[in-house]
Amino acid sequence: MAFEHEARKYDDWFLKNKNVLYSEVLLIKYFLDKYGVGRALSVGCGSALFESILRDDFNIRIEYCLEPAEGMARIAEERGFRVDRGVAENLPYPNEFFDTVIQNGIIHYVNDPRKTLEEAFRVLKHGGQIIIAWVAGESSYGILYQLAGVLGDWGALRRIAPKYPYPLEFIKEAKRWPTVEEVKELVESVGFGNIEFAQTLTMHPKYSNDLIEEPTEGYTKGDYVALRAVKP
Ligand SMILES: C[S@@+](CC[C@H](N)C(=O)[O-])C[C@H]1O[C@@H](n2cnc3c(N)ncnc32)[C@H](O)[C@@H]1O
C-alpha cells in the first residue's frame, strides 16, 4: 500500500507542486463558498493537506476526517485533525449526520466506488451535498497518468511530463481513471440530484504548476474536476 508506506512522499510531491495544490484547493473551496460547509466529512482525507489549507488560509473547517492508511492518518493528526480509521465503503457514522461529504482524489483508489457513494448518501442529511474531485480519465493529466501506468516508468515521458511528476507508486495503486460521464452516471444512479461541475488545471500538465488557477464552471477543459450533487 503506497499510501501506507510512502505517505511523506505524497505530501512532498504536492509541496513541490504548490501551485497545482492551491489550484485544487480552490476547486474544493469553490463549492464550499457557494453552498456552505456545515458539518463536514472528508473521506480518504490522506494527510489532510487540503483540509489544513482550507482551515489555515480560508477559515473553512472540515470537522470529520476518515482515512484507512495509518501513515497518512498520522500526518493528518500532526496537522491537528481528529482522524477516524476506516474506509469509504463502510462509514462509521450514523444516518443523516452530515451537511457535506468530500471525496477528494479517492475514486481512483477505493475498492467499490458505488458503495462509497451509497454510504455518502446514507450519512448525508436531506439537502446535504457531496463533492467529488478527481483527475478526469479523458483529461490531459488522466491520459498522461494512464500512459505512465502502462509504461511502468516516467522515463519515456520526461520531455512532456511536469518537472515533478506524480510518483509512479501512486499511479500504480490506482484502480481506475473514470471519465466525467462515468462518475456522473454513478452519482445519479445512487439517487443524488442537482449535479454541477467545476474544473481547474486547464493548461498542459507540463505548465500547470506555473501559476495558481481560479476554478471555472464545467468540466470540458479542466484536468481536475469537481462534481457537486445533492441528496434530495
Ligand atoms: C490521492 S490520496 C488523496 C488524499 C486526500 N484526499 C488529498 O486529496 O490529498 C488517496 C487517498 O485515498 C485513500 N483511500 C484508499 N482507499 C480508500 C478507501 N477504500 N476508503 C477511503 N479512503 C481510501 C488512500 O489511503 C489515500 O489517502
Side-chain angles (χ1 to χ4, degrees):
M1 275 283 286
F3 291 108
E4 191 65 68
H5 306 296
E6 306 279 3
R8 300 266 167 209
K9 201 165 178 177
Y10 179 79
D11 254 38
D12 289 347
W13 167 76
F14 247 141
L15 294 171
K16 277 190 200 136
N17 288 282
K18 232 173 174 167
N19 287 340
V20 169
L21 170 63
Y22 271 78
S23 297
E24 293 187 9
V25 170
L26 292 183
L27 182 69
I28 305 293
K29 181 176 172 283
Y30 174 88
F31 284 126
L32 299 178
D33 283 345
K34 192 168 175 185
Y35 294 107
V37 61
R39 183 190 282 157
L41 165 69
S42 175
V43 183
C45 67
S47 58
L49 186 55
F50 281 66
E51 292 74 7
S52 65
I53 295 170
L54 287 170
R55 178 192 62 196
D56 300 342
D57 291 13
F58 303 112
N59 200 24
I60 295 174
R61 309 240 156 211
I62 311 296
E63 226 180 305
Y64 288 77
C65 289
L66 179 99
E67 169 59 41
E70 191 58 30
M72 298 291 265
R74 266 197 232 114
I75 302 176
E77 285 170 343
E78 284 165 22
R79 293 198 160 107
F81 290 88
R82 206 199 81 182
V83 183
D84 298 315
R85 307 306 197 261
V87 291
E89 291 88 344
N90 185 18
L91 297 177
Y93 306 106
N95 296 349
E96 297 174 19
F97 190 63
F98 293 105
D99 300 291
T100 299
V101 170
I102 299 169
Q103 294 186 354
N104 186 25
I106 73 163
I107 197 163
H108 313 287
Y109 299 101
V110 298
N111 288 321
D112 186 343
R114 169 176 294 277
K115 191 81 185 55
T116 73
L117 294 176
E118 288 169 354
E119 276 293 87
F121 194 89
R122 180 183 66 75
V123 302
L124 274 170
K125 299 175 188 171
H126 293 283
Q129 61 182 346
I130 185 166
I131 299 169
I132 303 169
W134 80 106
V135 176
E138 69 269 51
S139 70
S140 305
Y141 261 111
I143 294 166
L144 194 59
Y145 287 176
Q146 287 169 85
L147 193 52
V150 170
L151 292 173
D153 184 39
W154 274 113
L157 300 168
R158 280 274 166 222
R159 288 165 41 255
I160 60 173
K163 186 171 179 194
Y164 301 109
Y166 194 41
L168 207 67
E169 47 267 61
F170 301 127
I171 291 179
K172 285 185 178 158
E173 186 110 347
K175 298 182 171 75
R176 67 194 69 77
W177 298 95
T179 63
V180 170
E181 206 172 27
E182 287 165 346
V183 176
K184 179 171 178 280
E185 278 174 18
L186 199 56
V187 166
E188 281 171 338
S189 73
V190 168
F192 287 102
N194 296 79
I195 294 180
E196 269 182 68
F197 292 97
Q199 59 193 336
T200 191
L201 305 186
T202 62
M203 305 200 298
H204 298 320
K206 188 174 171 81
Y207 310 115
S208 58
N209 198 44
D210 288 0
L211 50 85
I212 298 174
E213 269 191 63
E214 286 295 330
T216 57
E217 274 177 35
Y219 57 82
T220 55
K221 299 188 199 96
D223 291 13
Y224 208 62
V225 171
L227 177 158
R228 187 251 179 196
V230 177
K231 173 174 170 176

